Amino acid sequence: MAENNTNAPLIETSAVGFTYQGSETPALQDVTLSIGAGECVLLCGKSGCGKTTFTRLLNGLAPAFFPGRMLGSCRVGGLLAGTAAIEEYVPLVGSVFQNPKTQYFNANVTDELAFPAENIGLPAEDINRRITAVAERFGIGHLLHRSIFHLSGGQKQRIAVAAATMLGPRLVVLDEPTSNHDANAIADMRAMIEQMKDEGLT
């Protein structure tokens, strides 16, 4: 069960490491840190240093979906990686992957925003209210009901971020959200991150 103690760190790791199944080389080694609620933290390092692997521990994808051997501990909102079921992370952590099109389930923007809420069985009235609120928050009302395939890369990324916040998570994990985007799209993403931080998201 996820904790909601605002005084406790939202994320705590202790000497956490991870080696993917079939590999002899650890993808992540000896990471110890504590992140409080509302903090905005940037993980940086060269390609292959373990940034994506760490995000997979934060959102429950590793080791549940990406099997491997984990050392140490990684706790997010009380959920312990490797012990908590992946569905327990759904209302707690929103994720935006490096390539947003890999996470779309629908071709229509409105349907894509609705999907996380439909997936956990929220009533239609609640889903519509959440779509309206998220569209207003991120300035994407003009993109509703459009085909995702007709959006620019920056617009697709905005939809991915908006969808990641549909369930009101406490943590949003972004994996290289500005890669391959132009200056305008990067500025938009920065503004979205600032807004989420102002709203108390980690």
mmCIF file of all heavy atoms in Angstrom, residues 108-132:
data_model
loop_
_atom_site.group_PDB
_atom_site.id
_atom_site.type_symbol
_atom_site.label_atom_id
_atom_site.label_comp_id
_atom_site.label_asym_id
_atom_site.label_seq_id
_atom_site.Cartn_x
_atom_site.Cartn_y
_atom_site.Cartn_z
ATOM 1 N N ASN A 108 -6.682 8.607 -31.316
ATOM 2 C CA ASN A 108 -7.365 9.874 -31.091
ATOM 3 C C ASN A 108 -6.904 10.482 -29.762
ATOM 4 O O ASN A 108 -6.796 9.776 -28.753
ATOM 5 C CB ASN A 108 -8.880 9.629 -31.075
ATOM 6 C CG ASN A 108 -9.669 10.878 -30.769
ATOM 7 O OD1 ASN A 108 -9.826 11.247 -29.611
ATOM 8 N ND2 ASN A 108 -10.167 11.520 -31.806
ATOM 9 N N VAL A 109 -6.626 11.778 -29.757
ATOM 10 C CA VAL A 109 -6.095 12.446 -28.569
ATOM 11 C C VAL A 109 -7.020 12.285 -27.366
ATOM 12 O O VAL A 109 -6.573 11.933 -26.267
ATOM 13 C CB VAL A 109 -5.852 13.946 -28.862
ATOM 14 C CG1 VAL A 109 -5.572 14.710 -27.565
ATOM 15 C CG2 VAL A 109 -4.693 14.120 -29.840
ATOM 16 N N THR A 110 -8.299 12.551 -27.543
ATOM 17 C CA THR A 110 -9.243 12.473 -26.427
ATOM 18 C C THR A 110 -9.314 11.054 -25.874
ATOM 19 O O THR A 110 -9.334 10.847 -24.651
ATOM 20 C CB THR A 110 -10.641 12.947 -26.863
ATOM 21 O OG1 THR A 110 -10.518 14.252 -27.442
ATOM 22 C CG2 THR A 110 -11.596 13.006 -25.688
ATOM 23 N N ASP A 111 -9.340 10.070 -26.757
ATOM 24 C CA ASP A 111 -9.365 8.669 -26.321
ATOM 25 C C ASP A 111 -8.098 8.306 -25.557
ATOM 26 O O ASP A 111 -8.136 7.535 -24.595
ATOM 27 C CB ASP A 111 -9.533 7.735 -27.520
ATOM 28 C CG ASP A 111 -10.887 7.882 -28.192
ATOM 29 O OD1 ASP A 111 -11.809 8.437 -27.561
ATOM 30 O OD2 ASP A 111 -11.015 7.458 -29.361
ATOM 31 N N GLU A 112 -6.974 8.864 -26.003
ATOM 32 C CA GLU A 112 -5.700 8.586 -25.335
ATOM 33 C C GLU A 112 -5.686 9.156 -23.921
ATOM 34 O O GLU A 112 -5.219 8.510 -22.978
ATOM 35 C CB GLU A 112 -4.535 9.160 -26.149
ATOM 36 C CG GLU A 112 -3.169 8.859 -25.583
ATOM 37 C CD GLU A 112 -2.839 7.376 -25.507
ATOM 38 O OE1 GLU A 112 -3.414 6.585 -26.280
ATOM 39 O OE2 GLU A 112 -2.000 7.012 -24.665
ATOM 40 N N LEU A 113 -6.214 10.352 -23.760
ATOM 41 C CA LEU A 113 -6.287 10.945 -22.428
ATOM 42 C C LEU A 113 -7.233 10.149 -21.534
ATOM 43 O O LEU A 113 -6.985 9.995 -20.334
ATOM 44 C CB LEU A 113 -6.754 12.404 -22.520
ATOM 45 C CG LEU A 113 -5.790 13.384 -23.185
ATOM 46 C CD1 LEU A 113 -6.432 14.767 -23.265
ATOM 47 C CD2 LEU A 113 -4.467 13.457 -22.443
ATOM 48 N N ALA A 114 -8.304 9.653 -22.112
ATOM 49 C CA ALA A 114 -9.297 8.908 -21.331
ATOM 50 C C ALA A 114 -8.782 7.534 -20.909
ATOM 51 O O ALA A 114 -9.221 6.991 -19.879
ATOM 52 C CB ALA A 114 -10.586 8.741 -22.142
ATOM 53 N N PHE A 115 -7.863 6.961 -21.670
ATOM 54 C CA PHE A 115 -7.472 5.567 -21.476
ATOM 55 C C PHE A 115 -7.033 5.223 -20.054
ATOM 56 O O PHE A 115 -7.507 4.223 -19.493
ATOM 57 C CB PHE A 115 -6.380 5.170 -22.473
ATOM 58 C CG PHE A 115 -5.953 3.743 -22.348
ATOM 59 C CD1 PHE A 115 -6.726 2.720 -22.882
ATOM 60 C CD2 PHE A 115 -4.790 3.407 -21.669
ATOM 61 C CE1 PHE A 115 -6.348 1.397 -22.743
ATOM 62 C CE2 PHE A 115 -4.405 2.081 -21.524
ATOM 63 C CZ PHE A 115 -5.189 1.075 -22.067
ATOM 64 N N PRO A 116 -6.136 5.990 -19.415
ATOM 65 C CA PRO A 116 -5.716 5.591 -18.054
ATOM 66 C C PRO A 116 -6.889 5.515 -17.088
ATOM 67 O O PRO A 116 -6.956 4.603 -16.256
ATOM 68 C CB PRO A 116 -4.736 6.706 -17.643
ATOM 69 C CG PRO A 116 -4.278 7.316 -18.926
ATOM 70 C CD PRO A 116 -5.442 7.208 -19.868
ATOM 71 N N ALA A 117 -7.816 6.473 -17.201
ATOM 72 C CA ALA A 117 -8.962 6.499 -16.291
ATOM 73 C C ALA A 117 -9.944 5.373 -16.612
ATOM 74 O O ALA A 117 -10.521 4.760 -15.704
ATOM 75 C CB ALA A 117 -9.654 7.857 -16.368
ATOM 76 N N GLU A 118 -10.134 5.088 -17.899
ATOM 77 C CA GLU A 118 -11.004 3.969 -18.287
ATOM 78 C C GLU A 118 -10.411 2.652 -17.804
ATOM 79 O O GLU A 118 -11.141 1.742 -17.391
ATOM 80 C CB GLU A 118 -11.169 3.936 -19.806
ATOM 81 C CG GLU A 118 -12.015 5.061 -20.363
ATOM 82 C CD GLU A 118 -12.036 5.067 -21.892
ATOM 83 O OE1 GLU A 118 -11.145 4.456 -22.519
ATOM 84 O OE2 GLU A 118 -12.953 5.704 -22.442
ATOM 85 N N ASN A 119 -9.098 2.564 -17.854
ATOM 86 C CA ASN A 119 -8.405 1.332 -17.518
ATOM 87 C C ASN A 119 -8.605 0.923 -16.058
ATOM 88 O O ASN A 119 -8.537 -0.263 -15.723
ATOM 89 C CB ASN A 119 -6.909 1.475 -17.831
ATOM 90 C CG ASN A 119 -6.231 0.149 -18.054
ATOM 91 O OD1 ASN A 119 -6.828 -0.791 -18.557
ATOM 92 N ND2 ASN A 119 -4.969 0.068 -17.670
ATOM 93 N N ILE A 120 -8.829 1.921 -15.187
ATOM 94 C CA ILE A 120 -9.056 1.578 -13.778
ATOM 95 C C ILE A 120 -10.540 1.647 -13.426
ATOM 96 O O ILE A 120 -10.911 1.539 -12.251
ATOM 97 C CB ILE A 120 -8.228 2.472 -12.831
ATOM 98 C CG1 ILE A 120 -8.651 3.941 -12.929
ATOM 99 C CG2 ILE A 120 -6.742 2.306 -13.079
ATOM 100 C CD1 ILE A 120 -8.082 4.791 -11.803
ATOM 101 N N GLY A 121 -11.396 1.848 -14.442
ATOM 102 C CA GLY A 121 -12.831 1.744 -14.238
ATOM 103 C C GLY A 121 -13.524 2.970 -13.684
ATOM 104 O O GLY A 121 -14.585 2.862 -13.078
ATOM 105 N N LEU A 122 -12.950 4.166 -13.900
ATOM 106 C CA LEU A 122 -13.622 5.381 -13.434
ATOM 107 C C LEU A 122 -14.884 5.633 -14.256
ATOM 108 O O LEU A 122 -14.934 5.305 -15.445
ATOM 109 C CB LEU A 122 -12.693 6.590 -13.539
ATOM 110 C CG LEU A 122 -11.480 6.615 -12.604
ATOM 111 C CD1 LEU A 122 -10.681 7.897 -12.812
ATOM 112 C CD2 LEU A 122 -11.896 6.488 -11.153
ATOM 113 N N PRO A 123 -15.898 6.242 -13.671
ATOM 114 C CA PRO A 123 -17.126 6.533 -14.415
ATOM 115 C C PRO A 123 -16.894 7.597 -15.477
ATOM 116 O O PRO A 123 -15.997 8.441 -15.357
ATOM 117 C CB PRO A 123 -18.092 7.029 -13.339
ATOM 118 C CG PRO A 123 -17.243 7.428 -12.182
ATOM 119 C CD PRO A 123 -16.003 6.593 -12.247
ATOM 120 N N ALA A 124 -17.720 7.566 -16.521
ATOM 121 C CA ALA A 124 -17.560 8.466 -17.673
ATOM 122 C C ALA A 124 -17.561 9.937 -17.260
ATOM 123 O O ALA A 124 -16.785 10.741 -17.789
ATOM 124 C CB ALA A 124 -18.665 8.200 -18.695
ATOM 125 N N GLU A 125 -18.409 10.285 -16.311
ATOM 126 C CA GLU A 125 -18.492 11.691 -15.874
ATOM 127 C C GLU A 125 -17.169 12.151 -15.271
ATOM 128 O O GLU A 125 -16.702 13.267 -15.535
ATOM 129 C CB GLU A 125 -19.619 11.828 -14.846
ATOM 130 C CG GLU A 125 -19.884 13.245 -14.399
ATOM 131 C CD GLU A 125 -21.061 13.325 -13.437
ATOM 132 O OE1 GLU A 125 -22.188 12.971 -13.846
ATOM 133 O OE2 GLU A 125 -20.833 13.714 -12.281
ATOM 134 N N ASP A 126 -16.545 11.296 -14.475
ATOM 135 C CA ASP A 126 -15.255 11.615 -13.861
ATOM 136 C C ASP A 126 -14.165 11.705 -14.928
ATOM 137 O O ASP A 126 -13.308 12.600 -14.891
ATOM 138 C CB ASP A 126 -14.900 10.554 -12.821
ATOM 139 C CG ASP A 126 -13.716 10.950 -11.952
ATOM 140 O OD1 ASP A 126 -13.289 12.117 -12.016
ATOM 141 O OD2 ASP A 126 -13.202 10.085 -11.211
ATOM 142 N N ILE A 127 -14.211 10.801 -15.891
ATOM 143 C CA ILE A 127 -13.219 10.811 -16.968
ATOM 144 C C ILE A 127 -13.315 12.108 -17.769
ATOM 145 O O ILE A 127 -12.294 12.760 -18.044
ATOM 146 C CB ILE A 127 -13.412 9.585 -17.891
ATOM 147 C CG1 ILE A 127 -13.090 8.296 -17.128
ATOM 148 C CG2 ILE A 127 -12.532 9.704 -19.141
ATOM 149 C CD1 ILE A 127 -13.435 7.028 -17.875
ATOM 150 N N ASN A 128 -14.521 12.503 -18.130
ATOM 151 C CA ASN A 128 -14.706 13.740 -18.901
ATOM 152 C C ASN A 128 -14.242 14.958 -18.107
ATOM 153 O O ASN A 128 -13.634 15.882 -18.676
ATOM 154 C CB ASN A 128 -16.169 13.894 -19.311
ATOM 155 C CG ASN A 128 -16.579 12.874 -20.352
ATOM 156 O OD1 ASN A 128 -15.757 12.405 -21.139
ATOM 157 N ND2 ASN A 128 -17.855 12.507 -20.368
ATOM 158 N N ARG A 129 -14.498 14.963 -16.811
ATOM 159 C CA ARG A 129 -14.054 16.077 -15.967
ATOM 160 C C ARG A 129 -12.524 16.147 -15.939
ATOM 161 O O ARG A 129 -11.936 17.228 -16.038
ATOM 162 C CB ARG A 129 -14.605 15.893 -14.548
ATOM 163 C CG ARG A 129 -14.202 16.993 -13.578
ATOM 164 C CD ARG A 129 -14.726 16.718 -12.171
ATOM 165 N NE ARG A 129 -14.298 15.426 -11.648
ATOM 166 C CZ ARG A 129 -13.067 15.191 -11.156
ATOM 167 N NH1 ARG A 129 -12.165 16.152 -11.168
ATOM 168 N NH2 ARG A 129 -12.770 14.011 -10.694
ATOM 169 N N ARG A 130 -11.888 14.997 -15.834
ATOM 170 C CA ARG A 130 -10.425 14.954 -15.805
ATOM 171 C C ARG A 130 -9.825 15.396 -17.144
ATOM 172 O O ARG A 130 -8.819 16.115 -17.169
ATOM 173 C CB ARG A 130 -9.936 13.542 -15.459
ATOM 174 C CG ARG A 130 -10.159 13.167 -14.002
ATOM 175 C CD ARG A 130 -9.867 11.686 -13.758
ATOM 176 N NE ARG A 130 -10.161 11.295 -12.405
ATOM 177 C CZ ARG A 130 -9.226 11.016 -11.474
ATOM 178 N NH1 ARG A 130 -7.950 11.080 -11.802
ATOM 179 N NH2 ARG A 130 -9.584 10.673 -10.252
ATOM 180 N N ILE A 131 -10.435 14.976 -18.243
ATOM 181 C CA ILE A 131 -9.936 15.387 -19.562
ATOM 182 C C ILE A 131 -10.011 16.904 -19.702
ATOM 183 O O ILE A 131 -9.059 17.554 -20.152
ATOM 184 C CB ILE A 131 -10.733 14.703 -20.691
ATOM 185 C CG1 ILE A 131 -10.413 13.208 -20.735
ATOM 186 C CG2 ILE A 131 -10.430 15.354 -22.043
ATOM 187 C CD1 ILE A 131 -11.281 12.415 -21.690
ATOM 188 N N THR A 132 -11.132 17.491 -19.299
ATOM 189 C CA THR A 132 -11.299 18.940 -19.383
ATOM 190 C C THR A 132 -10.251 19.659 -18.543
ATOM 191 O O THR A 132 -9.634 20.638 -18.987
ATOM 192 C CB THR A 132 -12.719 19.344 -18.915
ATOM 193 O OG1 THR A 132 -13.675 18.709 -19.763
ATOM 194 C CG2 THR A 132 -12.905 20.850 -18.960
#
